[in-house]
Amino acid sequence: MIPDEKTITTIPTSPALPSHESATPVGVAAIHKALQTMPLSPGVYRMLGRKGEVLYVGKALALKKRVTSYTQVHRLPERLRRMVSETAYMEIVTTHTEAEALLLEANYIKRMQPRYNILLRDDKSYPWIILTDRHEFPQIAKHRGKPVKGASYWGPFASAWSVNQTLNLLQKAFLLRSCTDSVLQSRTRPCLLHQIHRCSAPCVDLISQEDYGALVQQARDFLSGKNPRMHEELVRQMEEAAGALQFERAAAIRDRIRGLSAMQQDASVINPTTMSDADIVAIWQIAGQSCIEVFFIRGGRNNGNRAFFPSHARDEGAADVLAAFLAQFYDDKPPPGQILVNHAISDNELLGRALELRRGKRVEIIHPQRGEKRAVLEHAELNAREALERKLAESAGQARLLRGVADLFGLANPPGRIETYDNSHIMGSHAYGVMVVAGPEGFEKRAYRKFAIKGPVTPGDDFGMMREVLERRFSRALRDREEGIRPDDWPDILLIDGGAGQYTAVRAVLDELGVTDVTLVGIAKGIDRDAGREWFHTATRPPFQLPPRDPVLYYLQRLRDEAHRFAITTHRAGRSKTLVKSELDDIPGVGPARKRALLNRFGSARGVRQAGLGELESAPGISRDTARTIYGFFHPDWTGE
């Protein structure tokens, strides 16, 4: 596990940012100043820039010795020389062991995303299969997010498709319910899943608790890889049922055998016989870029695979990228007992100890040379190479499109960041503005932003909404520019969905804010509203159209449509939250548990509002003082007597 930061010594090696930045030592001088109080113990160091931004995070067995190496600039590669030249402060966190430092380093890198580190950009939560333990008829289902008490988990799975496919096959093979507890309790007749032989219908007592428990145990054994002879046992039961002329029971067992066979004969190529729980991790590099393919093997079955594209300097070697990837990848998930890699890692033993702290059990990092393990790694390598080649081909196409955009709008260089804005509301209610970002790597969904409109919105006043969005978007960036810092997220092109009126209004807002070095483009469908015949509005030429089959036109349409999609989904999500909000949420002292108790007792918020003081006091979980608070909330003229 990650060491608790509360029990670790944190030593800021420089004072707070002074009012006159010119007095702050920078570069090697700042590092020498930090070394004056640097201990020799294990720990993690952070290099910070003038504004306190994290430039780099590293770990060391002896902090002072490791940080001293940065003062010998002539021995550093160019990338680290630039990092040292920008360093103004350092912070350290001491740990008990180097393995703890490695875990803490990986956690910091994922949280802080320093630009000089190797970065795994993975904001995805992985699905698991969950089996509830505290119910007489346990439920099997898909689960994402934090673990729930009283449940067993199997996974992770590489994608929702992988876990859904597995769940379908498990339902066929073991007939376990997938419905919620409330649905189970309210059913009066079997549902459709029972009719298609995917559930044993415990909701209407078509199976005893004992027999259902046997199915649950079989599912547990299968998912854990503990019952390899389950298929033969089911065949024996089917033959016995057929011999006893119990043909319906034999047919039901036959369907279970088919489901089990389908799961055991998964179409996945990698399905090793000598591994139970392992991750197969292969890296491939082309032209200074890397792809890492991960196959998840659990219970001897392939739970799917996924490609990752970590961000790093072009001169980083495969082994270093792979080691950094593994530390960050398992920061928020338990590692398996075996991790197969296609490159030897220099700190293999240290990384293994760190992952053992995370798992609580032994973790082996293996670089096999022959046999089945080498064969599956070679297949993972092939997947990594093909995924990277596809990405490079897509990037080349993206680069051509960006060059076309630059030529179209008179930019000296292809744009590195295009921001597209749109808004959505219904007659001024539930108003949201959104920002969609695209660049050389395509859509950058991590950079998308939502703006819940705070000011009063007149129905149809899109100009007012856009003004608020732009003021909020550029306020902090403009402060940084005043201090001589060009923000990393400064756009090259700002694309808006609108014609001449919208363009003029947004241009006025940008001029008022002092944003004059961003190319503003308006895209409008025109009078005929014909997609493909859009008109473009810029400052340098009269409104114009592009040929209907122009690739740049298609690209700009995609940007506009993505912003529209994001605005609509954001608006719908915000409206849904408002619709399900209850007036009980505004009562002081009434949290989720008391709200649930009130609704169970009175049926609705209206029933609570109409209840008398005595009725409220008699409700389960509602004290006398809370009942008086609730009654007073709905009866503001009540004096409490």
Side-chain angles (χ1 to χ4, degrees):
M1 60 182 295
I2 298 175
D4 186 357
E5 294 184 40
K6 294 181 180 178
T7 65
I8 300 174
T9 306
T10 304
I11 305 176
T13 57
S14 294
L17 187 67
S19 57
H20 301 287
E21 292 187 1
S22 59
T24 304
V26 180
V28 175
I31 296 176
H32 276 301
K33 183 177 180 180
L35 286 170
Q36 296 175 7
T37 56
M38 189 83 63
L40 281 169
S41 58
V44 174
Y45 58 91
R46 298 196 293 265
M47 293 185 167
L48 312 178
R50 284 183 176 272
K51 299 291 295 180
E53 71 277 15
V54 181
L55 303 174
Y56 183 80
V57 175
K59 60 100 178 72
L61 177 61
L63 282 167
K64 191 164 189 175
K65 290 183 179 180
R66 179 70 183 92
V67 174
T68 299
S69 66
Y70 291 105
T71 63
Q72 302 172 6
V73 180
H74 62 283
R75 296 185 177 181
L76 299 176
E78 179 60 29
R79 176 177 61 90
L80 295 184
R81 290 181 188 178
R82 291 198 307 270
M83 178 192 71
V84 169
S85 68
E86 297 176 21
T87 300
Y89 308 98
M90 289 192 67
E91 292 181 350
I92 67 169
V93 178
T94 61
T95 59
H96 301 295
T97 65
E98 190 179 10
E100 288 183 349
L102 177 59
L103 288 179
L104 191 59
E105 176 199 36
N107 182 261
Y108 280 168
I109 291 173
K110 285 199 72 173
R111 283 166 44 193
M112 301 174 182
Q113 299 285 297
R115 67 174 180 269
Y116 286 103
N117 280 99
I118 298 171
L119 302 179
L120 168 61
R121 301 187 183 277
D122 178 29
D123 56 354
K124 174 182 177 181
S125 63
Y126 291 83
W128 296 67
I129 286 178
I130 182 175
L131 188 61
T132 57
D133 294 332
R134 296 182 178 178
H135 198 282
E136 57 184 5
F137 295 108
Q139 172 202 22
I140 191 167
K142 177 177 68 176
H143 178 78
R144 286 184 188 266
K146 295 181 179 180
V148 178
K149 291 183 179 180
S152 300
Y153 289 84
W154 287 271
F157 288 79
S159 64
W161 180 88
S162 298
V163 74
N164 289 337
Q165 184 185 49
T166 302
L167 273 175
N168 289 336
L169 295 174
L170 285 170
Q171 290 173 354
K172 292 179 181 178
F174 302 106
L175 308 178
L176 302 183
R177 71 175 178 96
S178 58
C179 59
T180 63
D181 292 349
S182 59
V183 171
L184 175 75
Q185 296 168 0
S186 62
R187 295 292 305 183
T188 57
R189 58 181 180 177
C191 67
L192 181 61
L193 287 177
H194 174 70
Q195 305 298 329
I196 61 176
H197 309 294
R198 291 193 181 184
C199 181
S200 53
C203 54
V204 290
D205 299 324
L206 293 186
I207 186 173
S208 66
Q209 184 176 347
E210 181 181 356
D211 291 341
Y212 191 88
L215 294 176
V216 170
Q217 189 58 48
Q218 289 177 5
R220 290 181 184 278
D221 292 344
F222 180 80
L223 288 168
S224 303
K226 295 180 180 178
N227 192 350
R229 301 186 61 84
M230 187 179 301
H231 186 277
E232 291 82 353
E233 176 64 22
L234 288 175
V235 170
R236 185 188 63 80
Q237 293 179 12
M238 181 182 67
E239 292 175 348
E240 288 182 355
L245 303 182
Q246 299 175 354
F247 298 117
E248 289 186 3
R249 181 170 180 269
I253 298 175
R254 177 204 61 199
D255 292 340
R256 292 187 58 197
I257 293 173
R258 288 177 178 173
L260 191 63
S261 298
M263 188 175 299
Q264 291 173 330
Q265 298 170 2
D266 193 354
S268 303
V269 177
I270 291 185
N271 202 13
T273 59
T274 60
M275 288 178 285
S276 176
D277 293 329
D279 282 346
I280 301 166
V281 186
I283 183 173
W284 193 267
Q285 291 189 315
I286 301 175
Q289 298 190 47
S290 301
C291 175
I292 297 177
E293 193 81 25
V294 181
F295 282 79
F296 301 93
I297 308 299
R298 297 295 184 272
R301 293 175 312 282
N302 184 358
N303 282 357
N305 60 293
R306 187 181 174 208
F308 299 86
F309 301 93
S311 173
H312 60 82
R314 296 179 67 86
D315 59 350
E316 293 283 5
D320 293 336
V321 175
L322 190 58
F325 169 84
L326 291 175
Q328 296 176 48
F329 182 67
Y330 294 111
D331 175 66
D332 56 356
K333 63 182 71 64
Q338 286 187 342
I339 301 173
L340 275 61
V341 296
N342 66 329
H343 281 268
I345 297 174
S346 57
D347 288 337
N348 186 70
E349 183 179 349
L350 172 63
L351 182 58
R353 291 201 307 270
L355 295 181
E356 285 176 13
L357 292 175
R358 161 73 58 191
R359 183 172 185 250
K361 297 180 182 178
R362 178 176 171 78
V363 176
E364 291 183 287
I365 302 176
I366 305 171
H367 179 216
Q369 303 298 317
R370 62 184 63 86
E372 183 189 45
K373 293 180 179 178
R374 182 61 200 176
V376 296
L377 263 177
E378 289 175 351
H379 182 76
E381 275 185 347
L382 177 62
N383 278 262
R385 186 185 72 185
E386 292 176 346
L388 184 54
E389 289 173 348
R390 287 194 300 270
K391 184 174 186 294
L392 291 175
E394 292 171 359
S395 297
Q398 185 79 3
R400 287 193 296 271
L401 288 172
L402 292 177
R403 283 196 297 271
V405 171
D407 294 339
L408 179 64
F409 298 123
L411 276 67
N413 299 303
R417 181 183 175 100
I418 302 176
E419 295 181 357
T420 310
Y421 292 83
D422 199 0
N423 53 56
S424 181
H425 61 95
I426 295 179
M427 296 299 293
S429 65
H430 310 104
Y432 286 89
V434 299
M435 178 184 78
V436 166
V437 180
E441 302 298 323
F443 288 113
E444 300 176 9
K445 295 192 175 182
R446 293 169 59 93
Y448 286 17
R449 286 188 61 184
K450 308 172 185 177
F451 302 87
I453 302 302
K454 299 176 181 178
V457 179
T458 303
D461 185 15
D462 290 344
F463 296 162
M465 292 180 60
M466 187 61 69
R467 170 181 288 275
E468 178 178 334
V469 168
L470 293 174
E471 288 176 348
R472 290 165 60 182
R473 157 59 184 109
F474 285 102
S475 57
R476 182 174 180 179
L478 288 169
R479 286 197 300 268
D480 288 343
R481 297 196 79 186
E482 290 175 359
E483 298 174 6
I485 300 174
R486 178 179 171 87
D488 294 333
D489 61 352
W490 192 264
D492 297 301
I493 293 178
L494 196 153
L495 183 66
I496 59 170
D497 184 9
Q502 189 83 347
Y503 176 91
T504 302
V506 172
R507 182 73 269 172
V509 173
L510 293 178
D511 291 341
E512 183 180 330
L513 293 173
V515 180
T516 58
D517 58 346
V518 175
T519 299
L520 177 64
V521 178
I523 176 173
K525 290 183 179 179
I527 299 175
D528 52 4
R529 308 296 293 173
D530 183 12
R533 300 299 299 160
E534 282 82 353
W535 287 88
F536 291 92
H537 301 262
T538 67
T540 58
R541 55 192 291 194
F544 62 92
Q545 291 178 301
L546 293 176
R549 297 183 182 274
D550 192 321
V552 174
L553 172 61
Y554 289 149
Y555 178 65
L556 295 172
Q557 286 174 341
R558 283 178 55 207
L559 298 182
R560 189 256 332 263
D561 294 344
E562 172 66 4
H564 186 64
R565 179 204 63 81
F566 190 48
I568 292 296
T569 55
T570 301
H571 164 74
R572 287 175 177 171
R575 186 180 61 185
S576 297
K577 289 181 180 179
T578 303
L579 291 176
V580 301
K581 180 177 173 62
S582 168
E583 56 186 325
L584 301 181
D585 296 332
D586 298 326
I587 304 177
V590 175
R594 285 175 173 166
K595 176 183 172 182
R596 186 163 49 250
L598 289 169
L599 292 176
N600 289 339
R601 172 64 176 83
F602 298 104
S604 65
R606 180 181 180 182
V608 177
R609 183 172 61 250
Q610 295 176 346
L613 182 59
E615 293 177 294
L616 292 171
E617 291 178 351
S618 64
I622 304 300
S623 66
R624 183 174 182 273
D625 291 340
T626 302
R628 294 171 67 85
T629 299
I630 297 170
Y631 189 81
F633 178 83
F634 289 115
H635 302 82
D637 296 333
W638 181 60
T639 61
E641 298 177 355

